[in-house]
Amino acid sequence: MHKTDSKARRRRPGDVPVLNVGELVSRYLRLYGQQEAVRTSSTSIRGAELDRRSNRLANVLSGLGFTRGDRIGVYLPNRLEVVELEIACYKGAFAKTPINSRLSPLEVAQVLANSGATMVLTTRERADSFMNLVQGEKPRLLLVDAPDSEPQSYEALLAKASDRLVPAKVYRDDLAVLHYTSGSSGVLKAAMQTFGNRLALWRKFRIRNADESQGDILGLVGPITHASGMSLAPAFCAGTTVRLFEKFEAESFLETMRKERVTHTFLVPTMINMLLAAVGSSRPALPDLKRLGYGAAPMAPARILEAMDVFGPVLAQGYGAGETTSGVCALTAADHIEARARHPERLASCGRPYGETLVEVIDERGKVVSHGEIGEIVVSGDDVFAGYWNAPELTAEVLKKGRYHTGDLAKVDEDGFIYIVDRKKDMVISGGFNVYPTEVETVLYQHPAIAAACVFSVPDDKWGEVVGAHLILKNGAQVNAQDIDAFCAERLGGFKRPRLIKFVDKLPTSPNGKIVRKAVQAEYWAGRERKVN
């Protein structure tokens, strides 16, 4: 097994014992034991059974030799087994290592190599796509679709395991989750979320989502391996049923939401835009909906108003990151109603800080800016991550004196509402997913015909933003945009591939010879007040 540094060291005097999140969830799964906990298009499970099955899975992993802090990967779309693994990892103090189900096989192999994950929960087809690409020690497999006769069968192993378990004792700084994203330098990075972070997350959600209660249904269509999954534990503790959608298709999503009378959901703006295009004339379009949360990318105020017309006064926005263990600011449903009636400018805001988290906008000297002045958003509190996995230099860039520097530039009005105006980083947010230009450029430079590349953000009505690329070809090279797209498709997830490809003779450079990305991007954002979409 790969061992973490935290397992090898002795406990420090400052280590603080905390409640295991798995034990917390278990209490409520038993309390609401006969109530439906999770529902998909093909299965349903009650709270007590989910508790027992997650116990069995934790025992399976322990029986296979996995111990505290071992990274357990999961590469699946939304399905019940992902939920069971999350709870089991908490209970056994394993470090859940989720892999975006939309990543290419090569990217999956890179995540596994970087994390040192020694087990992956996945399907046979997905495993066949990435296993031969993994460098070094290959992880063991746990397959949800393997027949019972195979030793890798998920169900067969669960059937043999005990459903009795005492959750592991954990400490505040113990690693709970490796939350992967791509680095701005073109390398992988994973936010280390601790058990203390995840408990802070639980507290935030119980404050912000206090309207969720027993009998409500929470529809999750975004990947529960990532942001959407952060609402699982708080939902179970509220007695809420989680309805998982494996994929998003606007028409079928609307139909299911209506038929099953889903009361709460969270969508990225791209999904809301697609729903607005697909919805019929009925108003409200989803009459049982109590809250439509949105976030992960900015949303145009005009679209917010349109969504309020279609879905009713139920919209609520959240702003946060994996490094802050989900949201730290909220523009509540009441804020939306007030903004529409008296302060329309607030619809361009990401809201105000809530809960115990300290959110500040500071200048380059670290001082809080005055109202209306632009500075960088920094976050401090129990939900701020412990740093990037095995990346001290990247950690030092953003984690300073306990404060996480987001790279988002913003201003604050006199009522405390925060307005994001630009990003220090060149990150593109496409359909709610983060894409870093340098990562895409690294792939483009692998093409034999490309001499120089500049990747940037382009506004898009459907996806919010898409990836654009200006390319200089080598002398004599003959290649077209379709060739470049096919090349990228083999190496990048779909949301990372350039949707605008333009061949140019030169790229603007700074005095020291660096390509000036913002100068290339400027023509596509001309006339827009905000440099995010």
Side-chain angles (χ1 to χ4, degrees), residues 112-419:
L112 293 173
N114 179 268
S115 67
T118 45
M119 169 68 80
V120 181
L121 177 66
T122 188
T123 63
R124 172 72 68 188
E125 181 180 3
R126 285 172 176 263
D128 289 343
S129 73
F130 68 75
M131 281 295 281
N132 289 335
L133 301 173
V134 177
Q135 300 293 317
E137 182 180 353
K138 297 187 185 302
R140 299 175 71 166
L141 297 174
L142 196 55
L143 303 177
V144 296
D145 57 352
D148 290 350
S149 58
E150 293 189 12
Q152 299 166 322
S153 169
Y154 181 86
E155 289 298 334
L157 287 168
L158 257 63
K160 298 174 185 177
S162 171
D163 58 14
R164 297 181 65 84
L165 177 76
V166 176
K169 292 183 178 179
V170 296
Y171 293 79
R172 181 185 60 196
D173 296 336
D174 283 347
L175 179 63
V177 178
L178 282 185
H179 186 92
Y180 266 91
T181 184
S182 299
S184 57
S185 60
V187 299
L188 289 166
K189 63 178 180 180
M192 294 187 290
Q193 296 176 353
T194 66
F195 274 87
N197 292 155
R198 284 278 164 156
L199 284 171
L201 163 72
W202 184 87
R203 295 192 296 270
K204 287 191 298 186
F205 268 73
R206 293 311 308 137
I207 292 171
R208 180 181 169 197
N209 299 341
D211 61 329
E212 283 183 24
S213 59
Q214 187 176 6
D216 284 334
I217 302 174
L218 172 63
L220 296 179
V221 65
I224 59 169
T225 50
H226 287 70
S228 288
M230 294 189 192
S231 61
L232 289 171
F236 294 140
C237 293
T240 299
T241 297
V242 174
R243 177 37 162 115
L244 295 181
F245 293 82
E246 185 168 328
K247 58 184 178 180
F248 179 79
E249 293 177 347
E251 290 82 0
S252 62
F253 179 76
L254 285 167
E255 180 182 356
T256 301
M257 292 281 286
R258 291 185 187 119
K259 180 180 179 181
E260 300 187 16
R261 305 188 71 175
V262 176
T263 58
H264 297 72
T265 192
F266 179 87
L267 304 172
V268 298
T270 296
M271 294 177 180
I272 296 177
N273 291 340
M274 295 169 73
L275 291 179
L276 293 175
V279 74
S281 58
S282 60
R283 299 291 186 275
L286 297 172
D288 295 292
L289 200 62
K290 297 179 182 179
R291 187 183 70 246
L292 196 172
Y294 66 97
M299 186 170 176
R303 286 299 176 92
I304 295 173
L305 291 171
E306 184 180 355
M308 292 178 72
D309 288 338
V310 171
F311 299 107
V314 296
L315 270 71
Q317 181 186 173
Y319 164 78
E323 290 86 347
T324 62
T325 327
S326 191
V328 294
C329 292
L331 192 71
T332 66
D335 290 333
H336 281 75
I337 296 169
E338 175 71 11
R340 180 165 200 164
R342 299 178 181 85
H343 300 281
E345 72 281 356
R346 288 182 185 169
L347 293 177
S349 162
C350 64
R352 292 179 286 192
Y354 69 97
E356 63 199 65
T357 307
L358 178 62
V359 182
E360 300 170 296
V361 178
I362 63 171
D363 60 22
E364 293 185 358
R365 298 170 298 171
K367 303 296 183 182
V368 175
V369 300
S370 301
H371 294 146
E373 293 183 358
I374 294 175
E376 181 181 8
I377 299 176
V378 296
V379 182
S380 0
D382 287 345
D383 47 2
V384 171
F385 76 138
Y388 294 117
W389 173 257
N390 288 338
E393 293 183 359
L394 286 177
T395 299
E397 290 178 8
V398 300
L399 205 56
K400 303 171 184 178
K401 297 181 180 179
R403 297 197 293 189
Y404 169 59
H405 290 242
T406 66
D408 289 325
L409 299 177
K411 58 186 178 181
V412 186
D413 69 16
E414 293 183 353
D415 295 305
F417 288 89
I418 297 175
Y419 300 76

